[in-house]
Amino acid sequence: MLFKFKSQVTSDLIMLEGDGRRLLKIMLGHDPDKGIILVKDLPAAIAKLESAVAQDEAARLQRHQDAKKALAPKDSPQHAFGEALNPVRLAQRASPMLKMLKHCVADPADMVWGV
């Protein structure tokens, strides 16, 4: 299933269900199949999403530092394997949504979505 986010001032944003639900839970606390974020509520949604991205980046950095301590010397194959396993960051998933939300604030328009 796909989520389609729309606004009168931006092009549509289409996300896979898992990513869309994750971002909605961060912004709203729940993940309805369809809904609306009013212009007046957009700054709060942006703040929640930016805060979650910052927390994710800090946790990711900590995991990286912990893994670095646990890894064998740099010339071993384990080191190369450990470095290759980096998950997709929340910042990468949230970036298009943040751009859309900020545009909706700058040129006031509600954001709606559906599946």
Side-chain angles (χ1 to χ4, degrees), residues 17-46:
E17 179 182 12
D19 297 325
R21 287 194 185 280
R22 181 178 182 194
L23 295 182
L24 287 170
K25 281 183 182 179
I26 291 168
M27 293 185 296
L28 305 174
H30 60 292
D31 60 346
D33 286 342
K34 51 184 161 175
I36 184 169
I37 300 179
L38 300 174
V39 173
K40 68 180 178 80
D41 298 326
L42 289 171
I46 292 169

Side-chain angles (χ1 to χ4, degrees), residues 26-76:
I26 291 168
M27 293 185 296
L28 305 174
H30 60 292
D31 60 346
D33 286 342
K34 51 184 161 175
I36 184 169
I37 300 179
L38 300 174
V39 173
K40 68 180 178 80
D41 298 326
L42 289 171
I46 292 169
K48 287 178 184 177
L49 197 50
E50 286 177 338
S51 175
V53 167
Q55 289 173 5
D56 183 67
E57 288 296 313
R60 192 170 182 274
L61 178 62
Q62 184 62 48
R63 284 191 308 271
H64 178 71
Q65 290 172 346
D66 292 346
K68 235 174 144 178
K69 289 178 187 175
L71 288 175
K74 288 187 177 191
D75 57 328
S76 77

Side-chain angles (χ1 to χ4, degrees), residues 7-10 38-40 42-43 46 97-111:
S7 169
Q8 292 180 346
V9 295
T10 65
L38 300 174
V39 173
K40 68 180 178 80
L42 289 171
I46 292 169
M97 178 65 75
L98 282 168
K99 287 178 186 175
M100 181 180 211
L101 294 173
K102 288 177 181 180
H103 196 75
C104 289
V105 168
D107 191 5
D110 301 332
M111 184 191 72

